[in-house]
Amino acid sequence: VEHVQKILSDQESISRAARVLQPVEIAELVSDSVELLGAEIPRTLQIDLDASLRSVGRVLGSPVALQQIVINLLKNAAESIRMHRPAAHEGRIALTAAAEHR
């Protein structure tokens, strides 16, 4: 979450446009992101959503920006699996989360 907040902060600095921050349910956002990818992720890849995603609950952020980050991470993971296992085209992406309090 801290890394995502840093990315959002950097993007905001570059765009110089204030983002509307709101509570975002992480588990729903991740689940929706997996569904949005649809055919872009091969069916031979297993995507596991860990219960820890629900335990994190909500974070304050930009839903659109957070969803784009999750989608990019999933695409990168799928591409990495494809590059390292080209013959099998099989693999597993496990998504977990942990809250960090400051």
Side-chain angles (χ1 to χ4, degrees):
V1 172
E2 185 177 319
H3 180 68
V4 170
Q5 288 176 333
K6 170 80 170 103
I7 291 170
L8 291 175
S9 176
D10 291 347
Q11 286 179 346
E12 186 175 323
S13 297
I14 293 169
S15 70
R16 295 193 177 133
R19 292 197 186 275
V20 176
L21 302 180
Q22 63 190 61
V24 179
E25 187 70 40
I26 290 298
E28 287 179 27
L29 181 126
V30 170
S31 180
D32 291 346
S33 300
V34 170
E35 286 183 34
L36 282 173
L37 282 170
E40 290 188 55
I41 298 286
R43 293 181 195 270
T44 56
L45 286 181
Q46 179 180 342
I47 299 177
D48 295 335
L49 305 181
D50 188 73
S52 63
L53 293 166
R54 289 239 177 258
S55 67
V56 168
R58 294 181 179 176
V59 297
L60 189 61
S62 167
V64 173
L66 289 171
Q67 188 164 59
Q68 188 61 52
I69 290 166
V70 171
I71 287 172
N72 286 344
L73 289 170
L74 287 168
K75 285 181 178 180
N76 290 346
E79 179 65 18
S80 178
I81 291 169
R82 186 190 66 76
M83 289 176 63
H84 290 90
R85 300 182 65 147
H89 293 290
E90 294 177 354
R92 177 177 168 262
I93 300 171
L95 297 158
T96 64
E100 181 178 302
H101 303 281
R102 295 194 222 184

